[in-house]
Amino acid sequence: MTNKYLLVGHKLIQRISQSTSVIYLKNNKKTISIAAILAFFVFVGYYLINHPDIIQNILEIGYLSSFLLLIFYSGVLLTNFGIMYATILLCRKKLSIKNSLLLTIYSSLVNFFGPLQSGPAVRAVYLKTKIKLRIRDYTYVMLFYYFAFAALNISLLFINTLPWLTLIGIVAAVTMTIIGTNKFELKSFKKYILYIFALTTAQILLMVVIYSIELNAINHSAGYSIMQTIVYTASANLSLFVSLTPGAIGFREAFLVMSGSLHNIPLNSIIASGVIDRAIYILFLVILFFVSSSLHLKQIFVRKHQS
């Protein structure tokens, strides 16, 4: 029974990967990403020239807000680590916590600068080489994470306008997870599935806090509600599925503009928040790079000393 469902899933993935749109993206992703980045900077540059007050708002974010953003981005990193660790255990494999953390850090760096969610691909290749975890098995489990991530964010898009639809969406996602666990005969591993779902929820909540800090730091008087921020976050998160550019530059803003009628946050706040977010996140990645490098060097020295 399990093999039957896996075969259906495999055929569906093949059909999607061989579709005209996906093939076009694969063959032209470099051109598309460069064009998107250039268009984004031209648009932002033109907008900043005509709205110079945004620059002042960006400069007034303050050290406390910057520090808090770094702390909460560390929380997002930890959720990624927890999701990956649970994924490995769900696939009946083991990797040390230290190596798992290093892999999470390095893949986060790659994921920002590489197109189309390159981070998971790096993890898959590393895990296949290091602990013989089949890429197919890892992909199937990651598809569950992406399903949970997409289902929750799509549901949250309507929390401000159609809260009953949000509730139905979340209940449907949980129900499908329970049914899938039974159908794929994974009852003995249900705690890891629960971990992944819970950590995905925590990840989204952390992003809500991050965007709330950014939006309110640039415009204290706006008083954006928590519901507005949740919808804003859900829209920004969904842009990650088409992130051809580093940090989804351009694509995130496009998603946020298109969903403007749902969150009612103006364009100047979207642009200012986006600039702050990229700046803080790049700083966060720089810190991660030095931390991971020091840990890696320490690991090498320990091995040499032991030998």
Side-chain angles (χ1 to χ4, degrees), residues 17-142:
S17 63
Q18 292 173 2
S19 64
T20 305
S21 57
V22 172
I23 291 174
Y24 179 82
L25 286 174
K26 286 180 178 179
N27 294 336
N28 300 277
K29 59 185 180 182
K30 186 176 181 180
T31 303
I32 294 172
S33 63
I34 292 173
I37 291 173
L38 289 175
F40 172 76
F41 282 116
V42 169
F43 172 75
V44 170
Y46 176 80
Y47 196 87
L48 290 176
I49 290 172
N50 289 277
H51 300 81
D53 55 307
I54 295 179
I55 298 175
Q56 184 64 32
N57 291 335
I58 292 171
L59 295 174
E60 291 178 353
I61 183 174
Y63 293 110
L64 178 59
S65 295
S66 300
F67 177 74
L68 288 174
L69 289 172
L70 291 173
I71 294 296
F72 284 112
Y73 264 123
S74 299
V76 173
L77 179 76
L78 289 176
T79 60
N80 282 328
F81 160 75
I83 290 167
M84 187 188 70
Y85 198 73
T87 298
I88 294 171
L89 294 174
L90 185 57
C91 293
R92 301 173 177 85
K93 297 288 184 179
K94 286 186 178 181
L95 183 68
S96 70
I97 292 178
K98 187 173 183 178
N99 284 338
S100 297
L101 184 57
L102 283 171
L103 178 58
T104 304
I105 292 173
Y106 283 127
S107 59
S108 296
L109 290 165
V110 173
N111 202 51
F112 180 82
F113 295 105
L116 291 174
Q117 297 294 294
S118 307
V122 170
R123 293 172 200 160
V125 172
Y126 175 86
L127 293 172
K128 178 178 175 60
T129 305
K130 185 73 176 180
I131 58 174
K132 309 300 180 185
L133 173 56
R134 293 190 301 179
I135 292 178
R136 185 183 67 182
D137 294 341
Y138 178 78
T139 301
Y140 285 142
V141 179
M142 285 305 297

Side-chain angles (χ1 to χ4, degrees), residues 61-62 64-80 149 201-219 224-226 228-230 232-234 236-237 240 252 256 265 269-270 272-282 284:
I61 183 174
L64 178 59
S65 295
S66 300
F67 177 74
L68 288 174
L69 289 172
L70 291 173
I71 294 296
F72 284 112
Y73 264 123
S74 299
V76 173
L77 179 76
L78 289 176
T79 60
N80 282 328
F149 188 81
T201 304
Q203 190 174 77
I204 293 171
L205 292 175
L206 284 168
M207 292 307 301
V208 170
V209 175
I210 286 171
Y211 287 132
S212 179
I213 292 172
E214 291 172 353
L215 288 169
N216 287 288
I218 60 174
N219 197 340
Y224 298 120
S225 69
I226 186 63
Q228 283 181 284
T229 309
I230 290 174
Y232 181 94
T233 302
N237 286 343
L240 296 177
R252 183 197 295 176
L256 289 170
I265 293 176
S269 293
I270 292 174
S273 175
V275 172
I276 290 171
D277 185 71
R278 270 33 171 271
I280 294 295
Y281 193 65
I282 289 174
F284 176 70

Side-chain angles (χ1 to χ4, degrees), residues 169-196:
I170 294 174
V171 171
V174 173
T175 303
M176 289 179 67
T177 299
I178 295 171
I179 294 173
T181 301
N182 294 330
K183 288 289 185 181
F184 286 95
E185 300 172 5
L186 293 169
K187 288 183 179 180
S188 59
F189 293 91
K190 63 182 179 182
K191 65 178 181 180
Y192 300 126
I193 295 175
L194 179 61
Y195 290 159
I196 293 173

